[in-house]
Amino acid sequence: MLWINIDKSSDIPLIRQIYEQVRTGILSGEIKAGERLPATRELASELKVSRNVILEAYEQLYAEGYIESRQGSGTFVTEGLLWEQASIEPPLSLIDDAESKNTESDIIDFRSGIPDLHLFPKKIWGKLSQSVYNESTSSAFGYGNPEGRLELRQALCNYLLKTRGVRCKPEQLVITSGATQALSLVAKLLISPGDEVIIEDPVTHEIQTIFSSAGASLCPIPVDAYGMKTELISKYKKPSFVFVTPSHQFPLGGILPVQRRLQLIQLARTSGCYIVEDDYDSEFRYNGTPISSLQGLDPSKAIYIGTFSKNLSPALRLGYLILPFQLIERCRNLKWFTDLHTPSLEQLTLARFIEEGHLERHIRKMKKIYQKRRETLIKCLELYFKDSINILGDATGLHLIGEFIAIKFSDEVMNKILKHGVRVYPVELHTIKKSIHLNKIIMGYGNLTHEEIKEGIKRLSMALNKK
Ligand SMILES: Cc1ncc(COP(=O)(O)O)c(C=O)c1O
């Protein structure tokens, strides 16, 4: 007799339970090829279920070829179905996912680039989203264009000209799933295997991976307090492009001065390469208005990337790419064959959010909040570490750098810090040339309260000052 367990209280229908167990038994070899299955009447009485349930389960197994009937002699397992099951246990690396990190409530996490997730403008967004769903014509619910909704591209052009000095027409924009997808599209657009890509060092290791996995040979240029040291570029004669974060170098925080910007544009003009500008968090500049974009200096040579992950929410997965005219058509094609387009209704909601002035208002409000958190963080660092720390790159954005005079953030030190219930991020994670920035950590403060910042720095000092 077959060994079948059924659970009559389960939500899974009995037919499905029986079918699954026989099928698994056959594939695992527990029920052998050629073995005769019990007659339906017999099995029904054994399991105390109606005969129809067994008939239907067997019917399904017949239909999928697991069993066959032989005239007059019964139902048999088909030959040749032994199958080694693939493991469904996730590898350990997948268990430690972003979601589980978010729920480690005791650890104070200074992760960079996270805006305050409690202060997302839910009410306004919800209202606008509802009106977009109610008022949009049916075509908005169908497939759209790869470059995204015109309403959003138009709203962005106006907004970016006003706030960032970006000069573009709506046709030059492609709406993407965050800056990350924009970077992947740039990689596909511009990199052939072996091409040289000039890149800031340090720079996020995700960006390094996006470019190098497209076949680029990365040419790291060191970064100082003013961003990329552009005077060191000249040895590379034919780069495909230069990647920079000129308004707030990630992670060290420098702002690229105009002389260096002009040098980059000059290089693009003479060598024929592009400058890829990643403008991920520049709206949050604390001592004045945001620095103008590099793109505005020569829109024919610069590719501009922006995101709503820092000024609104990373969960929206909304970003954009502004291209010189000669690259637009190929980029639209690439986007189409990647994911057709970014979700249209979210784009329409964002377009209204920008047009009605909510984005500018939200940024103004958040800038004041982040500025105060930044002050609290700086005060605490100065209080606990006095002159054993320098604070760098704090003029803009949602993170700053702590440079410690006498500490190297080795794995051992990082473990000690974590054991004290605080998580910080070594700059070394993002370096190409190793061992230059061992004494620096990245500290994000966007999603931490004043109390969390104070407690986090107290814990950090306990971890680092304890002999
Ligand atoms: C420098 C830089 N560029 C781009 C991104 C990616 O942002 P997005 O969430 O828009 O993909 C990040 C994320 O933190 C970043 O730090």
Side-chain angles (χ1 to χ4, degrees), residues 113 177-180 183 204 207 245 250 278 280 307 309-310 314 317:
S177 299
T180 302
L183 289 159
T204 75
I207 293 176
T245 47
F250 188 91
D278 179 0
Y280 62 104
T307 178
S309 290
K310 318 295 169 189
R317 306 310 304 136

Side-chain angles (χ1 to χ4, degrees), residues 4-6 8 18 42-49 54:
I4 293 177
N5 277 316
I6 53 166
K8 290 188 176 164
I18 294 165
E42 194 187 339
L43 188 55
S45 115
E46 171 77 16
L47 297 177
K48 301 194 174 46
V49 295
I54 308 296

Side-chain angles (χ1 to χ4, degrees), residues 294-455:
L294 186 151
Q295 190 266 6
L297 293 173
D298 188 345
S300 71
K301 288 289 159 206
I303 296 174
Y304 180 92
I305 292 173
T307 178
F308 292 94
S309 290
K310 318 295 169 189
N311 57 20
L312 269 176
S313 154
L316 292 173
R317 306 310 304 136
L318 283 169
Y320 51 95
L321 192 55
I322 301 177
L323 298 147
F325 281 99
Q326 61 275 20
L327 295 176
I328 296 169
E329 206 42 52
R330 277 186 57 221
C331 187
R332 284 182 186 162
N333 276 328
L334 280 171
K335 170 71 178 162
W336 184 252
F337 291 113
T338 303
D339 61 357
L340 305 191
H341 60 82
T342 294
S344 304
L345 299 155
E346 278 69 17
Q347 291 186 49
L348 290 171
T349 306
L350 179 57
R352 291 199 188 185
F353 192 81
I354 298 172
E355 278 161 10
E356 293 181 15
H358 300 298
L359 181 64
E360 284 183 70
R361 268 193 295 281
H362 181 65
I363 290 173
R364 268 201 303 278
K365 168 181 156 187
M366 295 312 295
K367 196 164 140 177
K368 285 188 197 138
I369 292 173
Y370 295 141
Q371 179 153 27
K372 289 200 184 118
R373 290 179 189 181
R374 181 187 75 143
E375 275 162 26
T376 299
L377 176 56
I378 293 174
K379 266 192 203 142
C380 289
L381 287 169
E382 287 171 349
L383 176 71
Y384 283 100
F385 298 106
K386 305 205 162 47
D387 34 2
S388 62
I389 191 174
N390 292 318
I391 290 156
L392 316 173
D394 61 315
T396 304
L398 306 178
H399 74 270
L400 54 74
I401 298 291
E403 178 188 43
F404 287 76
I405 309 296
I407 296 169
K408 288 193 171 153
F409 291 90
S410 60
D411 289 348
E412 196 190 335
V413 174
M414 293 311 297
N415 281 336
K416 199 166 150 195
I417 294 172
L418 198 55
K419 277 198 187 124
H420 280 76
V422 61
R423 185 177 268 126
V424 290
Y425 296 81
V427 168
E428 195 66 5
L429 282 178
H430 302 289
T431 52
I432 301 176
K433 285 226 165 79
K434 292 293 169 195
S435 304
I436 299 169
H437 299 286
L438 281 169
N439 62 342
K440 300 186 185 84
I441 48 173
I442 310 167
M443 308 190 77
Y445 50 83
N447 194 32
L448 293 176
T449 62
H450 291 269
E451 286 63 41
E452 286 168 327
I453 293 171
K454 287 178 196 162
E455 176 61 23

